[in-house]
Amino acid sequence: MKLKVYADRLSQPVRAVIIFCEVNGIDYEEIKVDLANREHLTPEFAEINPMQQLPAIVHGSFKLFESHAILIYLASSFPGVADHWYPADVYKRRKIHSVLDWHHSNLRRGPITIVQNSILAPVFRRPLNPEAVAEGEKILSAALSKTESFWLDDNRPFLLGQNQPSIADLILVCDIMQVKLVGETDWNRLLGPYKKVQQWIENTRNATNPHFDELHKVLKELKEKLQN
C-alpha cells in the first residue's frame, strides 16, 4: 500500500511533505499536479481533494489534504519516524499544535502574498500588485518578529526550545523559503533584522539535507526561467 503524494514542488507545503517523507524513509509515489496549468482545478483532482489545493495524499483507500494534517498523519502512522517530529508526549505535542495553528493565520500569509502578487503573478495569469506585496511584507515582518522573540525565545536551535526539529519547524521554514523567489536583495532586506530566524532556517536545512536543498532547487530554476 504505497503512499501517493499529489504535488507541485513550487508549493511550499508540498516541499515540506516530500522532505519529511525523504528524511524518514517513507516510500511514496510523487504524482505531479501542475499548478501553473491549473491541473488542480480539474474534476479528476477534485475527487482527490474537493478543496482543489496541494498537497494531498492517498494511502490505500484513505485520502487526506491540508499539509498540517498530512504531516501529523505521516508522523503518527509510519514506523521509524523519530519522536521529535511529533512527540508522543501530549505536553510537547500541544505546543507544536499551537505553532501550527498560529502559522496558518500569520506567517503563512506573508510569503504567499508577496510572491503571488510579484514574481509569480504572470505564472498564474494575475496582474502585478505592489500594494498587496507591501501588505505581505508587513505581515511577514510581524510574523518573523514574533518568531524571533517568542517561538525561538529559549536560544535553542529549533522552535519551542527543542534540540531537534518538529513538523512545525519544517513547514514554517519551507514557507519562508518561498521569499527566495523575489531575489537575494529582498531576502536580505526582509530577513536581515532577524538573526535567530536566519540561524533557525539554517539549522532546519542542515537537519534535513540533502533533501532540503534538493526540494528547493525548484525556486532557483523557476527564478532563472522567469528572468530569461
Side-chain angles (χ1 to χ4, degrees):
M1 189 170 61
K2 193 171 187 178
L3 177 73
K4 295 181 180 180
V5 179
Y6 291 79
D8 184 328
R9 294 187 178 195
L10 183 58
S11 161
Q12 306 96 299
V14 161
R15 295 195 299 270
V17 168
I18 294 178
I19 290 169
F20 185 86
C21 289
E22 291 285 352
V23 168
N24 289 286
I26 296 173
D27 188 25
Y28 70 96
E29 177 186 359
E30 182 178 352
I31 300 175
K32 179 67 182 290
V33 180
D34 193 318
L35 290 171
N37 287 326
R38 307 168 88 80
E39 291 178 2
H40 59 301
L41 301 179
T42 63
E44 292 79 12
F45 184 68
E47 294 182 8
I48 303 299
N49 179 4
M51 302 297 115
Q52 297 185 291
Q53 295 180 331
L54 295 175
I57 65 169
V58 174
H59 193 207
S61 61
F62 177 69
K63 300 175 183 178
L64 186 63
F65 51 90
E66 292 296 334
S67 56
H68 294 176
I70 291 170
L71 288 168
I72 290 169
Y73 173 75
L74 297 178
S76 303
S77 303
F78 284 82
V81 175
D83 185 71
H84 64 81
W85 288 108
Y86 188 62
D89 184 309
V90 175
Y91 177 79
K92 293 179 181 178
R93 185 179 289 185
R94 70 167 177 81
K95 295 171 76 174
I96 290 174
H97 278 276
S98 68
V99 179
L100 294 176
D101 287 350
W102 173 85
H103 165 241
H104 258 320
S105 56
N106 292 275
L107 178 60
R108 171 76 173 145
R109 294 168 52 230
I112 196 170
T113 301
I114 293 168
V115 299
Q116 286 191 352
N117 289 285
S118 58
I119 191 165
L120 290 187
V123 175
F124 295 106
R125 303 173 182 86
R126 297 174 179 172
L128 298 174
N129 189 336
E131 292 80 10
V133 172
E135 181 62 26
E137 290 187 0
K138 289 180 182 178
I139 294 168
L140 176 62
S141 294
L144 293 176
S145 179
K146 185 63 69 175
T147 303
E148 180 100 353
S149 63
F150 182 71
W151 298 121
L152 292 170
D153 198 34
D154 285 344
N155 291 312
R156 298 284 181 87
F158 299 102
L159 296 172
L160 306 168
Q162 301 301 305
N163 290 317
Q164 293 176 295
S166 73
I167 59 174
D169 293 279
L170 183 56
I171 194 78
L172 268 66
V173 168
C174 284
D175 242 332
I176 296 170
M177 287 297 293
Q178 202 79 342
V179 180
K180 286 281 187 179
L181 279 172
V182 299
E184 288 299 316
T185 299
D186 284 322
W187 170 271
N188 292 332
R189 174 175 60 85
L190 293 166
L191 275 290
Y194 307 105
K195 303 304 180 187
K196 287 198 291 185
V197 168
Q198 292 180 64
Q199 185 58 56
W200 162 61
I201 292 171
E202 190 65 15
N203 293 341
T204 304
R205 173 177 173 261
N206 290 337
T208 56
N209 258 340
H211 313 294
F212 187 95
D213 285 350
E214 177 64 29
L215 265 292
H216 284 90
K217 282 181 181 178
V218 67
L219 300 181
K220 181 179 180 181
E221 292 168 355
L222 177 61
K223 182 183 172 186
E224 291 175 350
K225 181 179 179 180
L226 292 174
Q227 288 175 337
N228 292 333

